[in-house]
Amino acid sequence: MIVFLTDWGNSHYVGICKGVIRQISDSEIIDLTHEISSFNAREAMYILYRSFYHFPKNTIFLVVVDYGVGSSRKAIAAKTRNYYFVGPDNGIFTLVFEEEPPIEIRELNNKKYHYLNSQTFHGRDIFAPAAAYITNGKFKELGDLLPNYATLPYIKPKKSNKKITGEVAYIDKFGNIETNIPFEWIKEFETLKIRKKRKYIEIPVVNYYSEVLPGQLIAHNDSTDYLEIAINQGNAANLLKLKSGDFLELIL
Amino acid sequence: MIVFLTDWGNSHYVGICKGVIRQISDSEIIDLTHEISSFNAREAMYILYRSFYHFPKNTIFLVVVDYGVGSSRKAIAAKTRNYYFVGPDNGIFTLVFEEEPPIEIRELNNKKYHYLNSQTFHGRDIFAPAAAYITNGKFKELGDLLPNYATLPYIKPKKSNKKITGEVAYIDKFGNIETNIPFEWIKEFETLKIRKKRKYIEIPVVNYYSEVLPGQLIAHNDSTDYLEIAINQGNAANLLKLKSGDFLELIL
Amino acid sequence: MIVFLTDWGNSHYVGICKGVIRQISDSEIIDLTHEISSFNAREAMYILYRSFYHFPKNTIFLVVVDYGVGSSRKAIAAKTRNYYFVGPDNGIFTLVFEEEPPIEIRELNNKKYHYLNSQTFHGRDIFAPAAAYITNGKFKELGDLLPNYATLPYIKPKKSNKKITGEVAYIDKFGNIETNIPFEWIKEFETLKIRKKRKYIEIPVVNYYSEVLPGQLIAHNDSTDYLEIAINQGNAANLLKLKSGDFLELIL
């Protein structure tokens, strides 16, 4: 099974890659999501990390989210204890590889297993065919062994007696702030304070939006057991001027 | 075959549920749509009702649309003459159960068939696995028998000599007003009048948007044989200040 | 394999058509995209043309994008050397049929192979079942032989010493201008000039958005080897007042 994650929206680019896969393999293709914000490798890193372990053993994750800049990076495929991961070597696998260390990493430089040779559509030409060839048992032939992989620096969540720090994982389409802070750490509190410049804003910890008036901030449990900061019928990221990767400091 | 309907958009929550299903079952998963407005159980009720009978016998409908409030509700699976339905017992099945009365309803309280035990993601932990286990013949083991199910009150469409009443089924993404009034009832008329506060607005019954000028209201046949009220290149719901569930009165 | 392309978004209309197909056929259904702009047959023509050849031989393309006007058009299915195409005879196949000339065209007028008989949902009632019946070997029974098909006039790209002309293929969701001009023709140039009314605007030819300041125009290679004109963090179509089908003149 190939699980497909990109920042392309549900565009024909997704459909084209499925066509290329079907030229090589009959393996089922499941969309994880294609709604990652454009060029947001950090968001992809978090979404993948919160999703991969719900899929059966031997699933191949095809992840194509790149930065929008011109720096070169390798194309890789990695085998871990339970899964395969295929994508750009730009740090998107940082968190999953902490849990599932790569046993073997291949650089996708064997042109025999490329589809076409464009500069602009590596998803179609390198990554999708690599995922498909892995279903055919060709992992070791995809290219040279690599000793390591790129990581994306991130702020690990930390908890002290009075303070929690972490980072914004991503902003969802409603402007809700998804953090990398386990909700477990704050669930016993009735409120928390978030620092905004020199001021602290107090936010109630609630179960439902409807517990506060429209326009008010809330802290609650997102669907994957992390703290989410939201506004009832509003855009929390705009109000707090926060974006993916920003430092968070919460006072309990 | 599992047919999947939510209000999550095409997010990773959808992908995660498919991963959970694949841990249990190889049954095909088809997305009905995930574009239901957030927390709009009424919209889900209508979309399901207008769609279910186009699927083959024995299809399992996995419907996860909840209210955004904290009231408790059961999780259920129901067997009907031709189908299975899995979802929250909040009234989303009201209309389909009028056509396909449940033969047997199970409360999904057998924790053996739950996946994880979160408070926040019943789609992943209760509903998706239940749908998957039904494909494995485990319907009767999912939990205790229930004698009845929740219904969502709605305004049944009625037609008299000079007047038709009904309700707004849902507002689509363009602001078109989808009603629960059969188009059949108005197709012979050239115009109808809709009440807006104390005034009546006359609307032409047409086949195509292009029959009126931009900005003008039209009444026409939506794709599923119900009356839709729209504005050529405009937002009818905003103009008429109507939302899902609102009462409609049309004068012929 | 059936590949499905519409302008319906990921709505329940898509899901319903898959249900109808599953009543007839078990053939895999892959979504090419459903994000074509409403009623934009020209955009569908280009997206299909840039995608079809990435799918395996014998793929059936189910394309339902119609004009939003009341003119009648036939419903057709065509067999080419490598593929089948099913959809309205409104010109959406103009470009693919230049590359893959139809060997046999059938008008979908055999009501035995229709599903229901609505005026408004030909996708469900005529096109989806036709695609499904083709997987069952019923192509020749779908209706009468047709000698020809409708074409959509478009401006073929042309290159002279100092000038390139062509047209806007479509505007993507970010407002980027997708042209029908091969990027190959301009890749050796550092800038090009585009005519806007009486003035010429100079645009740098770059690889990445980040090579210019926010708000500046760029010319670059889209993912399918055509020239795209975009603005770094802006909407090029709005600025240049261009839409699908508009004439383009570039000075080198």
Side-chain angles (χ1 to χ4, degrees):
Chain A
M1 187 163 74
I2 295 169
V3 171
F4 197 9
L5 173 64
T6 75
D7 60 348
W8 303 340
N10 288 298
S11 69
H12 63 296
Y13 299 135
V14 172
I16 285 172
C17 287
K18 292 179 181 176
V20 171
I21 290 170
R22 277 292 166 275
Q23 292 187 42
I24 300 163
S25 164
D26 285 332
S27 184
E28 186 180 17
I29 306 163
I30 286 183
D31 298 302
L32 180 49
T33 181
H34 301 287
E35 302 297 328
I36 301 293
S37 320
S38 295
F39 308 130
N40 196 331
R42 184 177 305 271
E43 179 177 343
M45 174 182 79
Y46 277 108
I47 296 283
L48 180 65
Y49 178 64
R50 294 174 184 194
S51 306
F52 78 97
Y53 57 95
H54 297 299
F55 287 86
K57 206 172 148 80
N58 293 322
T59 293
I60 298 152
F61 291 91
L62 170 59
V63 185
V64 194
V65 179
D66 246 315
Y67 298 102
V69 296
S71 61
S72 71
R73 48 88 190 124
K74 295 189 187 78
I76 60 170
K79 181 177 164 50
T80 69
R81 183 179 170 83
N82 294 299
Y83 301 108
Y84 293 89
F85 296 90
V86 175
D89 185 31
N90 60 12
I92 47 177
F93 301 124
T94 303
L95 288 167
V96 288
F97 286 172
E98 286 182 17
E99 298 247 325
E100 285 262 324
I103 294 165
E104 190 175 325
I105 307 175
R106 295 280 166 178
E107 183 172 0
L108 304 176
N109 58 5
N110 184 347
K111 287 193 195 305
K112 183 180 161 191
Y113 295 105
H114 293 184
Y115 173 66
L116 298 175
N117 182 27
S118 73
Q119 291 303 310
T120 49
F121 199 175
H122 288 181
R124 179 192 66 194
D125 295 340
I126 298 175
F127 297 119
Y133 283 117
I134 290 172
T135 71
N136 294 343
K138 306 286 191 195
F139 174 73
K140 284 180 182 298
E141 301 174 38
L142 295 175
D144 296 328
L145 265 177
L146 277 181
N148 55 28
Y149 60 93
T151 57
L152 192 61
Y154 70 97
I155 302 159
K156 277 200 160 62
K158 266 187 205 157
K159 185 178 191 305
S160 69
N161 207 9
K162 298 293 286 175
K163 202 167 77 170
I164 291 171
T165 52
E167 72 171 20
V168 176
Y170 60 94
I171 307 298
D172 79 8
K173 64 176 174 173
F174 303 108
N176 300 326
I177 299 161
E178 304 290 330
T179 76
N180 69 342
I181 296 166
F183 185 73
E184 184 72 21
W185 291 1
I186 64 150
K187 74 174 183 189
E188 62 186 304
F189 297 93
E190 287 188 3
T191 64
L192 53 81
K193 294 198 196 74
I194 186 169
R195 201 165 77 167
K196 188 195 169 187
K197 290 187 180 168
R198 299 279 175 88
K199 285 188 287 187
Y200 287 88
I201 299 174
E202 189 158 24
I203 304 178
V205 179
V206 304
N207 288 315
Y208 295 98
Y209 285 89
S210 52
E211 294 177 41
V212 301
L213 293 172
Q216 292 200 306
L217 280 161
I218 61 167
H220 74 140
N221 191 348
D222 86 336
S223 293
T224 52
D225 292 325
Y226 291 91
L227 167 66
E228 177 185 294
I229 297 167
I231 292 179
N232 187 11
Q233 299 173 34
N235 188 308
N238 282 354
L239 181 80
L240 297 175
K241 296 199 189 351
L242 287 172
K243 61 180 196 309
S244 183
D246 280 355
F247 176 70
L248 285 176
E249 183 181 296
L250 307 175
I251 309 296
L252 299 172
Chain B
M1 187 164 73
I2 294 169
V3 171
F4 197 8
L5 173 65
T6 76
D7 60 348
W8 303 340
N10 288 298
S11 70
H12 63 297
Y13 299 135
V14 172
I16 285 171
C17 287
K18 292 179 181 176
V20 171
I21 290 170
R22 277 292 167 273
Q23 293 187 43
I24 300 163
S25 164
D26 285 332
S27 184
E28 186 180 16
I29 306 163
I30 285 183
D31 298 302
L32 180 49
T33 181
H34 302 286
E35 302 298 328
I36 301 293
S37 320
S38 296
F39 309 130
N40 196 331
R42 184 177 305 272
E43 180 177 342
M45 173 181 80
Y46 277 108
I47 296 283
L48 180 65
Y49 177 64
R50 293 174 185 194
S51 305
F52 79 97
Y53 58 95
H54 297 299
F55 287 86
K57 205 172 150 83
N58 293 322
T59 293
I60 298 153
F61 292 91
L62 169 60
V63 185
V64 194
V65 179
D66 245 314
Y67 297 103
V69 296
S71 61
S72 71
R73 47 89 190 123
K74 296 188 188 78
I76 60 170
K79 182 177 163 50
T80 69
R81 183 180 170 83
N82 294 299
Y83 300 109
Y84 293 89
F85 296 90
V86 176
D89 185 32
N90 61 11
I92 46 178
F93 301 124
T94 303
L95 288 167
V96 288
F97 286 172
E98 286 182 17
E99 298 247 324
E100 284 262 325
I103 294 165
E104 190 175 325
I105 307 175
R106 295 280 165 178
E107 183 171 0
L108 304 175
N109 58 5
N110 184 347
K111 287 192 196 303
K112 183 180 160 191
Y113 295 106
H114 293 184
Y115 173 66
L116 298 174
N117 182 27
S118 73
Q119 291 303 311
T120 49
F121 199 174
H122 288 181
R124 178 192 64 194
D125 296 341
I126 298 175
F127 298 119
Y133 283 116
I134 290 172
T135 71
N136 295 343
K138 306 285 191 195
F139 174 73
K140 284 180 182 298
E141 300 173 39
L142 295 175
D144 296 327
L145 265 177
L146 277 180
N148 55 28
Y149 61 92
T151 56
L152 191 62
Y154 70 96
I155 302 159
K156 277 200 160 64
K158 266 186 206 159
K159 185 178 191 304
S160 69
N161 207 9
K162 298 292 286 176
K163 201 167 77 172
I164 291 171
T165 52
E167 73 172 19
V168 176
Y170 61 95
I171 307 298
D172 79 9
K173 64 176 172 173
F174 303 108
N176 300 326
I177 299 161
E178 304 290 329
T179 77
N180 69 342
I181 296 165
F183 185 73
E184 183 73 22
W185 291 1
I186 63 150
K187 74 175 182 187
E188 63 187 302
F189 297 93
E190 287 188 4
T191 65
L192 53 81
K193 293 197 197 75
I194 186 169
R195 202 165 76 169
K196 188 195 170 188
K197 290 187 179 168
R198 299 281 175 86
K199 284 188 289 188
Y200 287 89
I201 299 174
E202 189 158 23
I203 304 178
V205 179
V206 304
N207 288 315
Y208 296 97
Y209 285 89
S210 52
E211 294 177 41
V212 301
L213 293 172
Q216 292 200 306
L217 281 161
I218 61 167
H220 73 139
N221 191 347
D222 86 337
S223 293
T224 51
D225 291 326
Y226 290 91
L227 167 66
E228 177 186 293
I229 297 168
I231 293 179
N232 187 12
Q233 300 173 35
N235 188 308
N238 282 355
L239 181 80
L240 296 175
K241 297 197 188 352
L242 287 172
K243 61 180 196 309
S244 184
D246 280 355
F247 176 71
L248 285 176
E249 183 182 296
L250 307 175
I251 309 297
L252 298 172
Chain C
M1 187 163 72
I2 294 169
V3 171
F4 197 9
L5 173 65
T6 76
D7 60 348
W8 303 339
N10 288 297
S11 69
H12 64 296
Y13 299 135
V14 172
I16 285 171
C17 287
K18 292 179 182 177
V20 171
I21 290 170
R22 277 292 167 273
Q23 293 187 43
I24 299 162
S25 164
D26 285 332
S27 184
E28 186 180 17
I29 306 163
I30 286 183
D31 298 302
L32 179 49
T33 181
H34 302 287
E35 302 298 329
I36 301 293
S37 320
S38 296
F39 309 130
N40 196 331
R42 184 178 305 272
E43 180 177 343
M45 173 182 80
Y46 277 107
I47 296 283
L48 180 65
Y49 177 64
R50 293 173 185 195
S51 306
F52 78 97
Y53 58 94
H54 298 298
F55 286 86
K57 206 172 148 83
N58 293 323
T59 293
I60 298 152
F61 291 91
L62 169 59
V63 185
V64 194
V65 179
D66 245 315
Y67 298 102
V69 295
S71 62
S72 70
R73 48 87 190 125
K74 295 188 189 78
I76 60 169
K79 182 176 164 48
T80 69
R81 183 179 171 83
N82 294 299
Y83 301 108
Y84 292 89
F85 296 90
V86 175
D89 185 32
N90 60 13
I92 47 178
F93 301 124
T94 303
L95 287 168
V96 288
F97 286 172
E98 286 182 17
E99 298 247 324
E100 285 263 325
I103 294 165
E104 190 175 325
I105 307 175
R106 295 280 166 178
E107 183 172 0
L108 304 176
N109 58 4
N110 184 348
K111 287 192 196 303
K112 183 180 161 192
Y113 295 105
H114 292 185
Y115 173 66
L116 297 175
N117 182 26
S118 73
Q119 291 303 311
T120 49
F121 199 175
H122 288 180
R124 178 192 66 195
D125 296 340
I126 298 176
F127 298 119
Y133 283 117
I134 290 172
T135 71
N136 294 344
K138 305 286 191 195
F139 174 73
K140 285 181 181 299
E141 300 174 38
L142 295 175
D144 296 327
L145 266 177
L146 277 181
N148 55 29
Y149 61 93
T151 57
L152 192 60
Y154 70 97
I155 302 159
K156 277 199 161 65
K158 266 186 205 158
K159 186 178 190 304
S160 68
N161 206 9
K162 298 292 285 175
K163 202 167 76 171
I164 291 171
T165 52
E167 73 172 18
V168 176
Y170 60 94
I171 307 298
D172 79 9
K173 64 176 172 172
F174 303 107
N176 300 325
I177 299 161
E178 305 289 331
T179 76
N180 70 342
I181 296 166
F183 185 73
E184 183 73 21
W185 291 0
I186 63 150
K187 74 175 182 188
E188 63 186 303
F189 297 93
E190 287 187 4
T191 64
L192 53 81
K193 293 198 197 76
I194 186 170
R195 202 165 77 168
K196 188 195 169 188
K197 289 186 179 168
R198 298 281 174 88
K199 285 189 288 189
Y200 287 89
I201 299 174
E202 190 159 23
I203 304 178
V205 179
V206 304
N207 288 316
Y208 295 98
Y209 285 90
S210 52
E211 294 177 41
V212 301
L213 293 171
Q216 291 200 307
L217 280 161
I218 61 167
H220 73 139
N221 191 348
D222 86 337
S223 292
T224 51
D225 292 326
Y226 290 91
L227 167 66
E228 177 185 293
I229 296 167
I231 292 179
N232 187 11
Q233 299 173 35
N235 189 308
N238 282 355
L239 181 80
L240 296 176
K241 296 197 188 355
L242 287 172
K243 60 180 197 308
S244 183
D246 280 356
F247 176 71
L248 286 175
E249 183 181 296
L250 307 175
I251 308 297
L252 299 173

